[in-house]
Amino acid sequence: MSSMAQAQDQRPRDVAGYKHGRVPRAVRYDQLLDLAEGLLVERGYAGFSIDDLCRAAGVSRPVVYEHFGSKDGIYLACVGRIRAEFEEAVLNASAGSQDLATTLERGADAFFSILERDPRRWSLVYGGANALVGPLAGQLADLRDTTVQQIAVASAPFAPHAEPERLAAWAHAVSGAGEQLGRWWLRNPQIPRERIVAYHRDFLTAAARYLIASTEAGPVPDSHG
Amino acid sequence: MSSMAQAQDQRPRDVAGYKHGRVPRAVRYDQLLDLAEGLLVERGYAGFSIDDLCRAAGVSRPVVYEHFGSKDGIYLACVGRIRAEFEEAVLNASAGSQDLATTLERGADAFFSILERDPRRWSLVYGGANALVGPLAGQLADLRDTTVQQIAVASAPFAPHAEPERLAAWAHAVSGAGEQLGRWWLRNPQIPRERIVAYHRDFLTAAARYLIASTEAGPVPDSHG
DNA sequence: CTTGACATCTTACGCGCCGTAGGTTACGGT
DNA sequence: ACCGTAACCTACGGCGCGTAAGATGTCAAG
């Protein structure tokens, strides 16, 4: 939870229930994470400064570094938490479905509902590959791969004969299509959610039919005979 | 062209054919763009500094600002040029195809060939949504939309009855799937290109069948009856 | 050749922000 | 009352962005 970090109060303030600025480690961590998320969502990675976070929390710089190590550390923590909550919601929605199409449709519906409810928050995860190089890039990619892996796991029971690699490719394509559709929707919010979901569902339904059919029919069809 | 900017020479150097540091505007622009691309590809947006660029070009800071206005300006110029070259290659490869499946397959083959030939260069475009907010985010999204638009235009003749919005959704999904597949491949280069292309082709072929069928059959199928 | 306008480039600065070294203050057990 | 430790702070070095103000080469006209 804790999705509604506002972070607009610039004056230092005490955390609920603690007299002076002094607060237990875990509590401070949560407070900082909430505030950081709010600032990041509002201003983006580049516009986010640790000094702002400190001012919002009423705390000095070393405190933040003691908890997160670096600016990238804060960013990763925020993205990781958001992604985890998102994955949980989507998986819960699609769990227990009887076929692949239903699994995908329920997952997609949950996905776009989240997007609609809290667009900017999710766009923080979306923006994703912030650093093209360096440690951050790899860690963000790891987070993304975790999500994709969940899609593969959820789909696997319905395509029991698919080789792992093909299944992975499938999951990546599904996730990529969904993300891009989501990005497009964020820039064109006048489109009602039902239509977006329908486009997505139709697209995936066709693709799903392919996944199952091709793996029943035989091994990898390859491109040069 | 001009994809091989090395930018490893740290000492100031004269541009070919000009005695002193003094060089015509257009020439300087090209030199800076080439060097900047090399540095960006090598170090990523965050690790790229204008001072480094100046050192590499043997020029002082205001020169760069006179040409590009800001660090984001340089970044946008590089990404824009790469994307334009990429689009041209893909469109050329797929032009003149007789059906949608062939169009997509040829385009995809060109896409992944480029990816294979110059992974890091393309990953600069890929990384894309660097800023989640602010002007840069919008301009990068515009560049991306241009690419997607080209997919839509190339696909349109083969689905003449598709409403524009459905076609747009289709194009975004196609592009998203391709990008994500590409990202996955970059992290798993041991997979041979033929297999990636085959996965992608199969995925899109199924989806293409859907696009055509659904638009021949009638209007938007929607999700709640 | 001189003069003046223009294009190209430079030195030098202010500012914001990251990350850290070293010191200070509350808390909790004995 | 006393000491260890957990939580916190002041103060700094350094880098990198963007700009103001000035210097220097180029070229055309008188």
Side-chain angles (χ1 to χ4, degrees):
Chain A
M1 307 309 155
S2 66
S3 73
M4 293 295 160
Q6 285 299 346
Q8 303 194 352
D9 189 348
Q10 289 296 44
R11 289 169 296 102
R13 53 176 173 183
D14 289 350
V15 181
Y18 296 91
K19 318 253 168 169
H20 301 81
R22 223 81 168 208
V23 150
R25 191 175 169 77
V27 175
R28 186 63 85 193
Y29 180 92
D30 289 345
Q31 180 212 15
L32 289 175
L33 195 56
D34 288 348
L35 289 172
E37 183 185 301
L39 288 170
L40 277 169
V41 166
E42 189 178 341
R43 308 180 188 178
Y45 180 87
F48 166 80
S49 97
I50 295 186
D51 282 327
D52 287 343
L53 175 58
C54 292
R55 273 186 285 275
V59 146
S60 66
R61 299 179 55 71
V63 173
V64 173
Y65 281 89
E66 195 54 42
H67 280 287
F68 298 99
S70 70
K71 182 174 175 179
D72 289 356
I74 304 174
Y75 181 66
L76 269 176
C78 289
V79 171
R81 186 173 66 164
I82 295 175
R83 215 178 244 281
E85 290 175 19
F86 152 78
E87 285 170 2
E88 192 192 345
V90 170
L91 286 181
N92 281 345
S94 62
S97 303
Q98 297 299 321
D99 56 43
L100 184 49
T102 309
T103 302
L104 293 172
E105 173 151 11
R106 289 185 183 164
D109 199 63
F111 173 81
F112 288 109
S113 293
I114 293 176
L115 210 54
E116 188 167 40
R117 185 179 317 126
D118 211 341
R120 306 180 69 187
R121 188 169 189 242
W122 173 242
S123 79
L124 187 64
V125 173
Y126 247 35
N130 188 304
L132 318 149
V133 108
L136 222 193
Q139 289 168 300
L140 285 172
D142 287 343
L143 289 179
R144 189 194 288 267
D145 281 356
T146 301
T147 301
V148 173
Q149 183 64 18
Q150 315 244 25
I151 297 178
V153 168
S155 304
F158 305 110
H161 303 302
E163 319 91 73
E165 187 181 277
R166 173 169 222 99
L167 189 62
W170 148 264
H172 279 275
V174 166
S175 127
E179 277 202 18
Q180 182 61 25
L181 228 31
R183 271 191 215 102
W184 177 54
W185 191 29
L186 285 181
R187 299 195 84 204
N188 299 272
Q190 79 284 359
I191 304 176
R193 179 165 60 90
E194 300 84 41
R195 278 222 294 278
I196 293 282
V197 171
Y199 293 144
H200 185 255
R201 168 173 51 82
D202 294 345
F203 189 84
L204 288 194
T205 299
R209 232 176 274 134
Y210 134 73
L211 177 69
I212 293 174
S214 71
T215 55
E216 279 171 353
V220 186
D222 80 6
S223 59
H224 55 296
Chain B
M1 308 308 155
S2 66
S3 73
M4 293 295 161
Q6 286 299 348
Q8 303 193 352
D9 189 348
Q10 290 295 43
R11 288 167 302 101
R13 54 176 174 183
D14 290 350
V15 181
Y18 296 90
K19 318 253 168 168
H20 300 83
R22 222 82 168 205
V23 150
R25 191 175 169 76
V27 175
R28 186 63 85 193
Y29 180 91
D30 289 344
Q31 180 211 15
L32 289 176
L33 195 56
D34 288 348
L35 289 173
E37 183 184 301
L39 288 171
L40 277 169
V41 166
E42 189 178 342
R43 308 181 189 179
Y45 181 89
F48 166 80
S49 95
I50 295 186
D51 282 328
D52 287 343
L53 175 58
C54 291
R55 272 186 286 274
V59 145
S60 65
R61 298 179 56 72
V63 172
V64 172
Y65 281 89
E66 196 54 43
H67 281 286
F68 299 98
S70 69
K71 182 175 176 179
D72 288 357
I74 303 173
Y75 181 67
L76 269 177
C78 288
V79 171
R81 186 173 65 164
I82 296 175
R83 214 179 245 281
E85 289 176 20
F86 152 78
E87 284 170 3
E88 191 191 347
V90 170
L91 286 181
N92 281 345
S94 63
S97 303
Q98 297 298 323
D99 55 44
L100 183 50
T102 308
T103 303
L104 293 172
E105 172 150 11
R106 290 186 182 164
D109 199 63
F111 173 81
F112 289 109
S113 292
I114 292 175
L115 210 53
E116 189 168 38
R117 185 178 318 127
D118 210 341
R120 308 180 67 186
R121 188 168 190 242
W122 172 243
S123 79
L124 187 64
V125 174
Y126 247 33
N130 187 303
L132 318 150
V133 107
L136 221 194
Q139 290 168 300
L140 285 172
D142 286 344
L143 289 180
R144 189 193 288 267
D145 281 356
T146 301
T147 301
V148 173
Q149 182 65 18
Q150 316 243 24
I151 297 178
V153 168
S155 303
F158 305 109
H161 302 303
E163 318 91 74
E165 187 181 276
R166 175 171 221 97
L167 189 62
W170 148 265
H172 278 276
V174 166
S175 127
E179 276 202 19
Q180 182 60 27
L181 229 31
R183 270 191 217 103
W184 177 54
W185 191 28
L186 285 182
R187 298 195 85 204
N188 298 272
Q190 79 284 359
I191 303 176
R193 179 164 60 90
E194 300 83 41
R195 274 218 301 275
I196 294 281
V197 171
Y199 293 145
H200 185 255
R201 169 172 50 83
D202 294 345
F203 189 85
L204 287 194
T205 299
R209 234 176 272 134
Y210 135 73
L211 177 69
I212 293 173
S214 71
T215 55
E216 278 172 353
V220 186
D222 79 6
S223 60
H224 52 294

